[in-house]
Amino acid sequence: MRLKPVVLAILIAGCALIGLIFWWINRSIEDQRLGELREDLHNQAALLSSVFDSHSPDVDRLVDDIAEHLRCRITVIGENGKVVGDSDFSGEQLAALENHANRTEIIKAKQAGWGDRIRYSPSLKTWLMYSAVRLRHSDGFVRVAVTAPHRAILAPPLRLPLAVLLLGAALAAGVMYLMITRTVGEPRSKLERWMDQIAEGESSSAPPIYSGEELGPIRRSISNLTEEVGERMRRLQAEADYLKAVLASMPEGVMITETNGRINRINPAFLEIFAVDRDPIGRTVVEVVRNPILEDSLRQVLSRKETTNRQVEIKVEERVLLARFSRLEKAGDVLGAVVVFHDITRLRRLENVRKEFVSNLSHEFRTPLTSIRGYAETLVDEPCESAAHKDFLPKIQKNAEQLSQMIEELFKLASLEAGGERLEKRVVSFDSLAAELREEFGPRLQSKSIELVTEAEPEAKSLLAHEAYLRRILHNLVDNAVKYTQRGTVKITAGRSGNEVVVAVSDTGTGIPAEDLHRIFERFYRVEKDRSRGTGGSGIGLALVKHLVQVQGGRVWAESKLGQGSRFYFSLPADENTDQQ
Ligand code: ADP
């Protein structure tokens, strides 16, 4: 609370109280004065009531004589209200005077023998105090009147004391104000200036107030508070500097945004990657980066439409960037998002080189391999004497075939990766596929005493797929199952799961160690190099399966127990026209 208004309010209230007291005293004095006057007037009227006779012809003259001595107005009024004598009017004028029967003092006197009143006299045009008394010796009334005294606003004897008191109050208020300003106001101003300095970051030792002063007791609290605040500020600053240093040391571009999508923090790498020339803080992402994919992804992440993390690939000039989005959340509230930009230009370039190389290589190998296989086949059919020829030619033929199959798969993989191939899906019958596989693998199954079981739920009897791809997928999976199984069963099943059809190929073969299971779909990955070589494996079959399933919108996964067998699953989006049962 400010001091000046308080002191002023006290001063006004004090003066008002003094005024009220004086008004009340003045009023009492005035009331007493009027009461005394009224008493005097009544006594005079009572005295005169024995003197006048309303029927006497000399009454008006007698009235004039007595009024001259008493210095007041005397009126004698008949019972009917007619004025028969009046000291202020001559005998001739009396007849023209108004009837006085309705005058208040006369009405009162008629009822009680006596009545008085202060009122304006229309006959004399002035305020008069009247006192009327019934005549003693005849009917009628005598009325005495004097000019009514003005009520003084302030009786003269009260004026000096009031002035002295008001002056005293003003002086007391002034002294009080000075004292309060000295004891509280000045230290407070000093304290304010000191706090401003602290807020501006100037370090100051102790608050400029002393224990003896009015504000002394709060000195220690202020001291503790400023120390605590200072310590927290230093800690916050250190943390901010640390974060800044971490961000500055990162080769990846980092951008932190608020919930409204405005940039809150960036690091130097971000400025370099996006060649930002103006300060991006406080601006929206689209203003700074001008990339609709980025803007859209950020909106999705901030609006919770997306799970916490998202990553997109964007191109900035010649660079390829992988942008990873993370939503910042605290106790369920979204605070903003962090976007980290990884430069993957080199990685993508190398990948393209590799893809191109594999594609070219497999293409170039196809022709010479076909010739080798052709010549080998011709020579095998030719009669020959040499044991070496007999021994080597079938091996040359077998290896050439394996190489050819491998090149074929590599080529297929490369063309799938390159994309652009039209995907034409149609409904394929599970049973006819099963029959084809049974026929194709029949001799191998027989030679190894493996039973082939095929089973499809009614709603998975028809599969919507690219026919050739589906054939290839099943061929590779069954080929592996037969390859890695010595005896037992190979089972192909199909069933509906939600809006997918899931096909599983299981066997009772060697199984796959748990540590290899997650890598078997990688290109060229083989569990045991020697084992695969012995079985003619190349490590491409499952990678191709994975691609062929993925281009059709499906997924692949596997389960296995070493020594007991494996189960490979793949899913395909279900045919919408097939009723789910
Ligand atoms: P490969 O031509 O060597 O079979 P794949 O890509 O088809 O190549 O398979 C990768 C590896 O996964 C194989 O080398 C093999 O070790 C393992 N594998 C695949 N299918 C089976 C299976 N049914 N049983 C056991 N191991 C398997």
Side-chain angles (χ1 to χ4, degrees), residues 480 483-484 507 512 525-527 531-532 537-539 541-542 566:
N480 277 350
K483 207 178 340 178
Y484 299 109
D507 62 59
I512 303 161
Y525 191 82
R526 290 173 300 183
V527 174
R531 185 182 83 173
S532 294
S538 61
L542 286 180
S566 317

Side-chain angles (χ1 to χ4, degrees), residues 473 476-477 521 540-550 556:
I473 294 165
N476 281 13
L477 292 178
F521 292 101
I540 303 168
L542 286 180
L544 184 62
V545 165
K546 184 176 152 189
H547 268 80
L548 291 171
V549 170
Q550 282 178 346
V556 278

Side-chain angles (χ1 to χ4, degrees), residues 116 244 292 312 445 457 485 545:
D116 73 341
K244 209 171 167 184
V312 289
L445 288 165
E457 289 174 10
T485 305
V545 165

Side-chain angles (χ1 to χ4, degrees), residues 85-99:
D86 194 306
S87 58
D88 281 13
F89 297 94
S90 65
E92 296 82 58
Q93 289 171 321
L94 289 181
L97 280 179
E98 230 181 89
N99 188 300

Side-chain angles (χ1 to χ4, degrees), residues 185-234:
E186 274 177 24
R188 197 186 69 180
S189 306
K190 272 196 274 173
L191 202 61
E192 274 172 0
R193 279 197 297 279
W194 177 77
M195 280 177 166
D196 286 346
Q197 284 172 358
I198 289 200
E200 280 161 21
E202 285 178 33
S203 61
S204 181
S205 47
I209 42 177
Y210 307 100
S211 32
E213 287 180 332
E214 197 61 33
L215 297 179
I218 59 165
R219 184 174 187 269
R220 172 174 282 277
S221 316
I222 295 177
S223 242
N224 290 346
L225 183 75
T226 44
E227 262 173 43
E228 174 74 9
V229 170
E231 182 53 35
R232 281 193 195 180
M233 293 287 285
R234 273 190 292 281

